Amino acid sequence: MASETEKKPATRKRKAATTARKTSTATIRRKAAPAAKAGLSWSTACRDWEKRIIAGESLVPCDPLFPDAAAQGMAVFNALKIVDVLGEPTIGESCRDWLKDYAAAIFGSYDPETGKRMITEFFLLVSKKNTKSTIAAGVMLTVLILNWRQSAEFLILAPTKEAADNAFKPARDMIKADPELDALFHVQDYTRIVTHRETGATLKVVAADGSSVVGKKATGILVDELWEFGKKPTAENMLMEATGGIASRPEGFIIYLSTQSDEEPAGVFKSRLEYARGVRDGKINSPRFLPVIYEFPKKILDKKGEHNPDNWYMTNPNLGVSVSDEFLRDRYAQAKEAGEGVLRVWMAKHLNVEIGMSLREKAWAGAKYWERQGDPLVTLELILECSDVIVCGIDGGGLDDFLSLAVLGRDGAGGDWLHWQRSWVFQDVLKHRKEEAPRYLDFQKQGDLVIVHEMRDDNRQLADVVEMIDQSGKLAMVGLDPAGVAEIVFALHARGIEQERIVGISQGWKMTGAIKTLERKLADGTFSHGARAIMAWAVGNAKAQAKGNNIEITKQMAGGKKIDPLMALFDAVACMSRNPEPPGNIDPFLEGGLITT
């Protein structure tokens, strides 16, 4: 046990730290920026971000609103030590300006005269190995030091226990490396809690789940690795619960940190990312939300510039400090050798290239051309207007499957094929496939997936769409798997679709012709689709298997990943490959046989 003599220096340091904090706060109150008193007007849009990121300039769109508050925060932030770097330098000595600009924007958003924070939400998307852990630990520790509220709660929410440990350890080490901070804080490793001895305020790092955030009245929250929360079906409600206390904390804030997702963005990550881009681009006016997004400009991606190592500095602002050019080049070469799917994931994590379609092992050959042929202008209305003939493909299945409708039109002017789809699924799938629920709900918001509450609604609604297409006078035929489709056929008959226009399409290896036809039309650019996320997802899920000269793509091979929208498209391709004529010229003895009921 320490003697009284040994305790005195620590006691003096605690008193000195407390006095310095109070004095600094008082000084800032006296020197509040005149603009703050007169009423601030600012924008968090960064419309010229593409020019800035190419030039290596700051992406923080505005200067700190309250310079004195920013200076106070940065004085603390810059003095924190990074113990896992040679020589244990401080943040101020070792970190790049981009990180300091971002931290200053957070600290400088607080008005010390009114006690109100003017920017309350912050979003940062930056590539892996660019010191997100340092940002999380340093910023949250700084606000804990400067906080005036007694017993205030600050949270770092991490998606997993491992991520929570990664977020806690830098904060703990910063405290242990500084005798004054070590005296000022009580650190509990097992529970990942840091307690301020003077104010009783706490910083807690938690592996997020529903129960871990219930009843919290947090003043400040940092959400780490938001992309992983996007895979959690309850993430939106959990974040709502966690951030509810900020309503009664005028100085409160939320910080979202993330890299890109290792698959197509979904759920809460997708919604926050799209919102952040909207604010950055000036499409959404939200001055209380500040986004900083390190991603390649579209003109770089259009030229495949993400594969050029000379461009990697754009999404790695810490290149040459926490991540080296040699490391990225080596890992890129390894990922490229491993295949397209592995390379896409590597580029998502290390270069922030968003995955639009996950190419898995044994990916279908046509998948590599899919994104290129996407055009948002290809809608059902356009197909009805431009096509001289239209066919439909339908793929159904069990209660856990999507009932999918593919509409394929042949352009009357040039003969190109145009594709549109819609799918239906029973609501219980959200319970059975909780890990996919956020993605399904995204598809529902986009209008491409209908989640039905009554079992028969899917067949009825699908038949309604087919009837509407038939009213155009251009519907030649409807193709579908003959097995287990009696209810669909009855629904089509009730809408006036004659028996001779309902065609059975053989599945398995017998679909080789349709698969190869679509591959060729994607490659030669004579097939276009509406660039819908649900189709990119289904195409990315498909696995192809060669059987002699044939190709087989089945739901069993997809391993539980849904490919129903793609299978419906293959059915439609099988129909269109027969070069059908508009209604009135239908051959009643089409190869493949008719479906009878």
Side-chain angles (χ1 to χ4, degrees):
M1 183 173 179
S3 66
E4 290 299 316
T5 303
E6 293 172 324
K7 288 181 181 179
K8 285 181 180 178
T11 302
R12 285 198 299 269
K13 288 176 181 177
R14 286 199 300 273
K15 289 181 177 179
T18 303
T19 301
R21 178 167 53 84
K22 291 179 178 178
T23 301
S24 183
T25 303
T27 301
I28 286 181
R29 288 182 182 276
R30 290 195 302 269
K31 294 183 178 180
K37 296 178 181 179
L40 282 172
S41 177
W42 72 93
S43 172
T44 54
C46 189
R47 294 179 177 84
D48 63 343
W49 72 271
E50 294 189 356
K51 177 181 72 68
R52 290 192 186 197
I53 200 168
I54 291 173
E57 299 173 356
S58 173
L59 299 184
V60 176
C62 57
D63 292 332
L65 304 184
F66 302 93
D68 289 337
Q72 182 197 27
M74 292 307 294
V76 176
F77 183 72
N78 284 334
L80 298 173
K81 289 187 177 182
I82 307 175
V83 302
D84 60 350
V85 175
L86 183 64
E88 296 189 2
T90 63
I91 289 178
E93 293 169 341
S94 62
C95 288
R96 292 273 175 84
D97 288 342
W98 74 272
L99 190 153
K100 297 176 186 178
D101 288 346
Y102 189 74
I106 296 172
F107 304 138
S109 65
Y110 174 69
D111 181 355
E113 188 168 86
T114 64
K116 182 178 181 180
R117 192 173 297 276
M118 307 307 291
I119 301 176
T120 57
E121 290 188 80
F122 302 85
F123 183 95
L124 175 63
L125 186 77
V126 68
S127 299
K128 192 177 177 67
K129 301 298 182 182
N130 278 265
T131 66
K132 289 197 310 302
S133 295
T134 300
I135 296 171
V139 168
M140 297 305 283
L141 190 55
T142 298
V143 295
L144 183 62
I145 292 170
L146 299 178
N147 163 70
W148 53 265
R149 187 183 292 275
Q150 295 291 317
S151 301
E153 290 182 286
F154 296 91
L155 293 177
I156 297 179
L157 295 182
T160 63
K161 180 182 181 299
E162 181 181 15
D165 289 335
N166 291 338
F168 173 74
K169 289 176 182 177
R172 177 201 63 193
D173 293 343
M174 288 174 182
I175 292 171
K176 297 297 184 183
D178 188 316
E180 291 191 3
L181 294 182
D182 199 22
L184 189 62
F185 292 108
H186 174 53
V187 179
Q188 296 169 272
D189 283 84
Y190 180 73
T191 54
R192 305 190 204 93
I193 298 176
V194 176
T195 304
H196 195 295
R197 298 182 191 273
E198 302 291 339
T199 63
T202 59
L203 170 61
K204 186 174 183 179
V205 183
V206 298
D209 57 52
S211 60
S212 65
V213 297
V214 172
K216 296 292 183 184
K217 294 184 178 179
T219 298
I221 299 173
L222 187 146
V223 182
D224 198 16
E225 300 295 3
L226 184 63
W227 69 275
E228 287 204 55
F229 283 96
K231 300 180 179 182
K232 295 179 178 290
T234 60
E236 192 71 64
N237 291 338
M238 182 192 63
L239 290 180
M240 190 178 302
E241 181 72 32
T243 58
I246 293 177
S248 59
R249 303 286 191 271
E251 76 276 23
F253 62 89
I254 309 168
I255 302 171
Y256 300 104
L257 300 182
S258 191
T259 61
Q260 260 296 352
S261 177
D262 60 2
E263 56 186 29
E264 303 95 322
V268 66
F269 172 63
K270 179 181 177 65
S271 63
R272 295 296 191 279
L273 177 58
E274 290 180 347
Y275 186 83
R277 285 172 174 157
V279 175
R280 176 198 63 186
D281 297 342
K283 297 176 181 178
I284 300 173
N285 181 26
S286 183
R288 293 174 67 80
F289 186 104
L290 192 155
V292 173
I293 306 173
Y294 283 93
E295 62 183 358
F296 289 111
K298 185 177 183 298
K299 63 182 180 181
I300 300 293
L301 295 172
D302 288 344
K303 297 178 181 178
K304 302 296 182 182
E306 69 272 26
H307 294 275
N308 183 354
D310 291 340
N311 292 329
W312 291 351
Y313 72 92
M314 296 182 199
T315 59
N316 286 275
N318 247 40
L319 190 64
V321 180
S322 61
V323 60
S324 70
D325 182 69
E326 292 80 6
F327 171 84
L328 293 179
R329 288 173 183 264
D330 289 345
R331 293 298 188 272
Y332 172 79
Q334 293 175 18
K336 190 174 182 180
E337 185 67 24
E340 183 70 18
V342 175
L343 180 60
R344 288 195 179 206
V345 172
W346 183 89
M347 297 185 80
K349 306 312 294 182
H350 290 277
L351 300 179
N352 263 352
V353 178
E354 180 175 325
I355 292 178
M357 179 176 63
S358 296
L359 293 182
R360 306 176 191 278
E361 184 183 4
K362 298 181 180 179
W364 169 49
K368 67 176 69 175
Y369 306 106
W370 184 265
E371 290 177 303
R372 186 191 69 183
Q373 293 305 114
D375 183 351
L377 295 178
V378 179
T379 61
L380 180 58
E381 291 74 18
L382 180 73
I383 293 174
L384 290 172
E385 179 182 349
C386 296
S387 301
D388 65 348
V389 65
I390 296 173
V391 298
C392 292
I394 298 174
D395 187 81
L399 299 180
D400 193 39
D401 293 322
F402 290 2
L403 172 64
S404 294
L405 169 67
V407 178
L408 193 60
R410 185 176 64 202
D411 184 8
D416 289 358
W417 293 3
L418 308 174
H419 167 255
W420 176 90
Q421 91 86 44
R422 178 164 290 167
S423 294
W424 290 260
V425 71
F426 187 53
Q427 63 178 349
D428 281 2
V429 75
L430 299 178
K431 300 176 183 177
H432 300 153
R433 291 183 173 268
K434 292 182 179 180
E435 71 284 357
E436 294 284 4
R439 194 176 308 281
Y440 294 172
L441 293 172
D442 286 340
F443 296 153
Q444 181 188 41
K445 292 176 184 176
Q446 294 156 6
D448 299 317
L449 177 65
V450 180
I451 299 177
V452 298
H453 301 280
E454 298 292 336
M455 283 302 303
R456 294 184 179 180
D457 285 349
D458 54 356
N459 290 329
R460 291 171 180 170
Q461 292 180 26
L462 182 149
D464 288 342
V465 177
V466 176
E467 180 184 26
M468 185 268 291
I469 295 170
D470 189 37
Q471 290 172 354
S472 71
K474 301 178 179 180
L475 180 64
M477 66 183 78
V478 179
L480 67 170
D481 180 356
V485 293
E487 290 188 4
I488 299 175
V489 174
F490 288 141
L492 293 175
H493 284 172
R495 303 307 194 280
I497 310 301
E498 302 90 348
Q499 186 77 28
E500 59 268 20
R501 284 194 289 167
I502 302 175
V503 181
I505 306 297
S506 298
Q507 304 294 298
W509 65 267
K510 294 182 179 180
M511 195 172 274
T512 298
I515 294 172
K516 289 188 175 181
T517 296
L518 185 54
E519 287 175 5
R520 291 186 61 86
K521 295 192 74 65
L522 282 165
D524 66 22
T526 57
F527 174 93
S528 297
H529 57 85
R532 307 305 297 172
I534 192 171
M535 282 303 304
W537 172 73
V539 169
N541 289 338
K543 290 184 178 181
Q545 177 176 314
K547 286 194 172 183
N549 293 326
N550 298 310
I551 300 172
E552 187 173 8
I553 296 176
T554 65
K555 296 178 183 180
Q556 290 76 17
M557 290 169 58
K561 293 286 186 178
K562 298 300 179 191
I563 61 171
D564 308 273
L566 178 61
M567 299 307 293
L569 174 56
F570 288 143
D571 289 339
V573 169
C575 291
M576 189 64 82
S577 296
R578 298 168 179 178
N579 195 27
E581 295 293 332
N585 300 310
I586 300 297
D587 181 353
F589 299 102
L590 290 168
E591 182 183 352
L594 302 181
I595 291 182
T596 57
T597 58

